[in-house]
Amino acid sequence: MSWIEALVLGLVQGLTEFLPVSSSGHLTILGTLFGMNGEENLAFAVLLHVATVLSTIVVLWKEIAGLFGGLLAFRWNDDTRLVAKILLSIIPVGIVGLLFKDTVEEMFGSGLALVGCMLLLTAALLAISYYARPRPKENISFRDAFIIGIAQAIAVMPGLSRSGSTIATGIMLGNKKETVAKFSFLIVIIPVLGEALLDVFKVLKADGDMSFGAFPAGAMIVGFVTAFVAGCLACKWMIEIVKRGKLIYFAYYCVAAGLLAIFLS
């Protein structure tokens, strides 16, 4: 992999991780065009996901610091309730990661047809959430948090947008757009960091270095930094987009991208 390819992949990951258009789907399409196999696609995607998780921490550091402050108060309050909801929401994706990790990895090498179909499903979810008019709620309930977590677990499939699935699900359940957008970005932090940590240990044990298999260190650094910077910008942008209710335009984009992926398969 050249540093230019790493730059492009990092830029695409940083932007599409927060926009509801499926970062995994875009990375799979580009990776295929760059001649990467399924395992290489997944390995580099894990690295770039860590970068965008760190950008989430930077952008939402006030909210995250508030959660830690609430926990240190050692009493049941709004912050500890939110932490409990986040922990509840990551149970489904944790189960998928533990029991179906190999199956998920195989999906990343199953071709662009699956990616295209999942992009079309993402478009459908975004469209439904745009036209849905549920009874509004003040806060995300524990029930809603778990359902949003199920949406996140299903969205491990390449081409199905994680942010699009979780935000659309939260909106259809009647939660405020800005609230569910921030919740969607917070609940991905622990699963992605945990997955990345396991994969780093796996790579170090197999290779004995930080080349990450087929990727030179320079390309990894370029991709990581690019994804982090682009992620910081996209995270702030996405929160504003959700507040203004402009998700329908991303549905149109996903339809176009999905049809292109199916055509290229």
Side-chain angles (χ1 to χ4, degrees):
M1 173 184 290
S2 68
W3 70 268
I4 295 179
E5 291 173 337
L7 178 69
V8 172
L9 290 171
L11 181 62
V12 170
Q13 164 63 24
L15 293 175
T16 58
E17 172 64 23
F18 299 101
L19 302 182
V21 294
S22 178
S23 61
S24 64
H26 282 73
L27 291 182
T28 301
I29 294 172
L30 284 175
T32 300
L33 295 176
F34 291 161
M36 298 166 61
N37 60 39
E39 287 187 3
E40 290 173 344
N41 263 330
L42 182 60
F44 204 70
V46 169
L47 174 72
L48 298 183
H49 272 92
V50 174
T52 48
V53 163
L54 292 179
S55 67
T56 305
I57 295 173
V58 170
V59 173
L60 299 179
W61 71 270
K62 289 184 179 180
E63 287 82 356
I64 295 172
L67 294 179
F68 277 107
L71 286 175
L72 293 176
F74 297 106
R75 63 175 180 269
W76 189 247
N77 53 35
D78 290 341
D79 291 321
T80 51
R81 272 191 289 272
L82 180 54
V83 171
K85 292 171 185 176
I86 291 173
L87 294 176
L88 177 65
S89 71
I90 66 176
I91 290 176
V93 75
I95 294 173
V96 171
L98 289 173
L99 301 182
F100 304 103
K101 179 177 175 61
D102 292 339
T103 302
V104 172
E105 290 180 353
E106 290 174 2
M107 288 180 180
F108 277 81
S110 59
L112 294 181
L114 175 62
V115 171
C117 291
M118 291 301 102
L119 281 167
L120 294 179
L121 178 57
T122 298
L125 289 173
L126 294 174
I128 292 171
S129 69
Y130 178 79
Y131 291 107
R133 293 292 183 270
R135 180 180 299 178
K137 302 176 182 178
E138 286 299 318
N139 297 296
I140 296 175
S141 66
F142 281 94
R143 168 183 167 274
D144 289 356
F146 187 71
I147 295 174
I148 293 171
I150 293 175
Q152 176 171 246
I154 297 173
V156 299
M157 300 183 68
L160 185 57
S161 170
R162 189 206 62 82
S163 62
S165 298
T166 52
I167 292 173
T169 299
I171 292 174
M172 286 187 283
L173 291 171
N175 295 287
K176 293 182 178 179
K177 296 174 181 177
E178 181 180 5
T179 301
V180 78
K182 291 183 178 180
F183 186 77
S184 168
F185 299 153
L186 288 172
I187 64 175
V188 75
I189 293 176
I190 295 176
V192 169
L193 288 181
E195 171 72 9
L197 186 61
L198 290 175
D199 282 340
V200 167
F201 284 141
K202 179 180 178 181
V203 170
L204 288 175
K205 183 177 180 180
D207 295 345
D209 56 37
M210 284 303 292
S211 63
F212 218 65
F215 309 117
M220 291 171 58
I221 293 172
V222 169
F224 187 93
V225 173
T226 304
F228 172 77
V229 174
C232 287
L233 298 174
C235 185
K236 293 180 180 180
W237 187 31
M238 184 58 193
I239 292 174
E240 290 300 317
I241 290 174
V242 174
K243 286 169 60 177
R244 297 173 185 176
K246 303 296 184 181
L247 294 181
I248 189 63
Y249 299 111
F250 293 103
Y252 299 148
Y253 176 85
C254 286
V255 169
L259 293 176
L260 175 62
I262 293 173
F263 175 77
L264 293 174
S265 64

